Amino acid sequence: MPSVDALLRRPALRDAIARHGHALVVETARAELDRARRATLAGTAPPPRATLEAEIEQRTLDALAALAELPLRPVFNLTGTVLHTNLGRAVLPREAIEAISRVAAQPSNLEFDLARGERGERDDHVTDWLIRLTGAEAALAVNNNAAAVLLTLNALAERREVLVSRGELIEIGGAFRMPDIMARAGCKLREVGTTNRTHLRDYADAIGPRTALIMKVHTSNYAIEGFTAAVPEAELATLAHARGLKLVTDLGSGMLVDLKRYGLPPEPTPREMLEAGADLVTFSGDKLLGGPQAGLIVGRAELIAKLKRNPLKRALRCDKLTLAALAAVLRLYADPDRLVERLPGLRQMCRTAADIRAQAARLQPVLAARLDGTATVAVVDCASQIGSGSLPVDRLPSTAVALKPARSRGAGKALGALAAAFRALPIPVIGRLHDGALLFDLRCLEDEVGFVEQLAKLAADP
Ligand SMILES: *Cc1c(COP(=O)(O)O)cnc(C)c1O
C-alpha cells in the first residue's frame, strides 16, 4: 500500500488541497487507502504499485468532488404539478431573490425601528401589506401554515374544545393531520356532522361550556362530491359570535387576488373569509401566494396580539430571509395586472395549452434525436395540476412529451433507467411515470435552452 504522504505528494492531490483544504483531503485519501487495503485483505490481488496509487488518487478526487457538491440543487420540475411540495413549491420572483440577497449580505433592521431608534418587531416588515391586501385589522407571520394553525389553536383554545366538521379533518402530505395538530396544541377536538354532510345545527348542538372556537378547514387537497353539505363561513360566524366563540378558518392556499381574473378556477381569498366573519384566517406563503415558506395569520387585532404574546410565537417565528422575500412578493400584489408576468407559479398556471403544445412540438425531434432509437418520443395531451392542495379537482389542459423504451423486453427496467438518466443530469429532470412512459409535462419548462443544452450530457444508452 502507498503511504498517505506519498499520495499527497502527487500533483493532482496537491491541487485538491488548495481547493478543499488539507484536513478534508487527508481524511478522504485515508478512507480510500483503507478501502483498498480491505479489498486486498479480502483476497483481491492488488494491481502494480503505480497503478494502485493512481487508482486511489482518482477515487479520492471523485469522493472530494461529491463532497463539494451542494446537496440542495435546482431541478427541472416536469411532473405536471406546478406547486410541488417535494420540489420546493413556489419558485420565487426576481424581486424576492434580490431582497433576500440584500439582507443576507449585510446587517439589517430586522428588529430595529429606524424612525425611533428603538427595538422593533420583525413582523412589521410584512404586516402593513398583509393588512392592505386582506382587509384585516392585524397580521403576523410564522414559519409555515402548520405552525400558524398550531399557534392559533394553542393561543385561543388550550385545554378547551374546538369544533371541526368530520368532512374537514384532513391530512395533508408530510404528516400534517388536523387532529394531531390539535392534540399538540393542547386542544380537545370535537368532531361534528358526518364525513359528507355537516349542518349548522350540528355545530350548534355541539357547543358546550368548554368550547372555545369553531374551526373551518378548507379541504384543499381533496373534494367530497355528490350528496354533501357544509356550512358556509358567514353562517358559522353568526353562530360562533352569538355564542361567544371565535371562528378560525384554515385556508391552506390563500391566494390574495381573485384567480378568475386570470381565467383560473376560483379559490376563496382571505379577504372573503374575513368579510364573511372569520376572526382569524391562516394560509401558506409558498402555495398560490407564490412566496417563501411561511404561515400567515390575519384577522382581529386583539387575537393577533394574543398570538404574539404566546411563547410558541418565538419558536415558530420567520427568519430574515423569509421576511425579506415575503415583503417583496406582497408588494407585487399591488399591481395584479402584472402579477402573471412576475410570479413564476402564476405565469406557469396561466400558460395556454397552445403555447405548451408548440414547445412540445419543438422538443420532440430534439429528444428523439438524442435518444437515437433507444426510446420513442411522442407528443401527448395531459393535464397539469396546481398542487400543494390548491384547487384539488381542477386540472389545467397541457402537453407532455412521452418517452417510451424501444425494446419491449425488460421495458419496466429500461423505463426506470431512462428516468434515472434524466435525474442524473447536472440539472436533474423530474418527470412522471404513467402507463409505461416517462412523461415530461412542459407547463413549467421556462428555461428551454438550458434543458436542451444539457441533453448532450445524457448517458449514452440510458
Ligand atoms: C397546505 C396546508 C396546510 C399546511 O401548510 P404548510 O405551509 O405546508 O405548513 C394546512 N392546512 C391546509 C388547509 C393546507 O392546505
Side-chain angles (χ1 to χ4, degrees), residues 89 144-147 149 170 172 176 178 217-218 220 250-253 284 286-287 294 388-389:
R89 288 197 189 157
N144 54 32
N145 190 33
V149 174
I170 54 167
I172 298 159
F176 179 95
M178 198 43 95
V217 185
H218 193 67
S220 54
D250 176 23
L251 206 44
S253 209
S284 291
D286 56 350
K287 292 184 181 171
S388 284

Side-chain angles (χ1 to χ4, degrees), residues 170-194:
I170 54 167
E171 169 175 320
I172 298 159
F176 179 95
R177 279 186 166 187
M178 198 43 95
D180 297 343
I181 297 273
M182 291 240 175
R184 290 287 161 164
C187 312
K188 180 145 180 13
L189 167 66
R190 178 94 194 250
E191 301 176 19
V192 305
T194 60

Side-chain angles (χ1 to χ4, degrees), residues 101-161:
S101 48
R102 267 183 355 141
V103 300
Q106 272 160 41
S108 63
N109 61 334
L110 178 63
E111 289 185 352
F112 188 74
D113 185 327
L114 291 172
R116 291 189 296 172
E118 301 169 353
R119 192 181 185 286
E121 278 267 355
R122 65 174 60 213
D123 282 1
D124 284 354
H125 302 291
V126 295
T127 45
D128 284 356
W129 276 92
L130 282 171
I131 288 168
R132 183 191 283 253
L133 293 166
T134 63
E137 288 172 14
L140 68 76
V142 286
N143 188 42
N144 54 32
N145 190 33
V149 174
L150 179 70
L151 174 62
T152 302
L153 290 172
N154 182 259
L156 304 186
E158 195 183 11
R159 285 194 285 276
R160 300 184 58 195
E161 271 180 14

Side-chain angles (χ1 to χ4, degrees), residues 54-359:
E55 271 181 23
I56 296 174
E57 173 189 69
Q58 192 51 51
R59 281 198 218 110
T60 305
L61 292 172
D62 291 348
L64 286 166
L67 284 170
E69 205 168 289
L70 294 177
L72 188 54
R73 298 153 59 193
V75 302
F76 282 107
N77 170 15
L78 305 189
T79 59
T81 301
V82 180
L83 299 169
H84 199 301
T85 297
N86 304 146
L87 302 182
R89 288 197 189 157
V91 171
L92 292 179
R94 180 179 48 78
E95 290 81 355
I97 293 157
E98 283 167 6
I100 289 175
S101 48
R102 267 183 355 141
V103 300
Q106 272 160 41
S108 63
N109 61 334
L110 178 63
E111 289 185 352
F112 188 74
D113 185 327
L114 291 172
R116 291 189 296 172
E118 301 169 353
R119 192 181 185 286
E121 278 267 355
R122 65 174 60 213
D123 282 1
D124 284 354
H125 302 291
V126 295
T127 45
D128 284 356
W129 276 92
L130 282 171
I131 288 168
R132 183 191 283 253
L133 293 166
T134 63
E137 288 172 14
L140 68 76
V142 286
N143 188 42
N144 54 32
N145 190 33
V149 174
L150 179 70
L151 174 62
T152 302
L153 290 172
N154 182 259
L156 304 186
E158 195 183 11
R159 285 194 285 276
R160 300 184 58 195
E161 271 180 14
V162 177
L163 309 188
V164 187
S165 161
R166 287 200 169 86
E168 298 172 4
L169 285 172
I170 54 167
E171 169 175 320
I172 298 159
F176 179 95
R177 279 186 166 187
M178 198 43 95
D180 297 343
I181 297 273
M182 291 240 175
R184 290 287 161 164
C187 312
K188 180 145 180 13
L189 167 66
R190 178 94 194 250
E191 301 176 19
V192 305
T194 60
T195 305
N196 59 330
R197 289 173 73 81
T198 302
H199 305 278
L200 191 63
R201 63 170 184 277
D202 295 325
Y203 287 98
D205 291 349
I207 295 173
R210 302 187 57 78
T211 312
L213 55 88
I214 298 179
M215 176 115 192
K216 176 102 176 139
V217 185
H218 193 67
T219 53
S220 54
N221 58 352
Y222 75 107
I224 296 180
E225 291 183 16
F227 185 60
T228 66
V231 184
E233 232 79 15
E235 285 175 37
L236 272 185
T238 308
L239 171 69
H241 298 154
R243 306 285 290 266
L245 308 176
K246 310 280 182 280
L247 173 65
V248 171
T249 296
D250 176 23
L251 206 44
S253 209
M255 186 52 171
L256 294 171
V257 291
D258 187 352
L259 282 178
K260 274 191 302 217
R261 72 183 291 154
Y262 308 113
L264 292 169
E267 169 85 11
T269 62
R271 183 186 287 277
E272 281 164 20
M273 296 296 110
L274 292 173
E275 279 169 4
D279 296 290
L280 288 181
V281 180
T282 60
F283 54 102
S284 291
D286 56 350
K287 292 184 181 171
L288 282 175
L289 188 95
Q293 179 189 300
L296 305 167
I297 311 174
V298 298
R300 298 241 314 275
E302 95 210 42
L303 301 180
I304 295 285
K306 202 164 179 188
L307 266 56
K308 281 188 176 168
R309 290 195 300 270
N310 187 293
L312 272 178
K313 169 65 171 67
R314 174 62 179 75
L316 302 174
R317 71 184 186 184
C318 293
D319 89 315
K320 63 185 175 186
L321 305 184
T322 300
L323 291 167
L326 190 56
V329 171
L330 291 174
R331 261 162 194 71
L332 299 183
Y333 279 85
D335 186 3
D337 294 333
R338 293 186 60 199
L339 216 46
V340 172
E341 90 197 49
R342 286 165 152 177
L343 275 187
L346 188 60
R347 181 166 67 226
Q348 290 159 6
M349 285 171 226
C350 290
R351 270 187 83 186
T352 63
D355 182 35
I356 304 170
R357 175 163 278 278
Q359 187 177 40

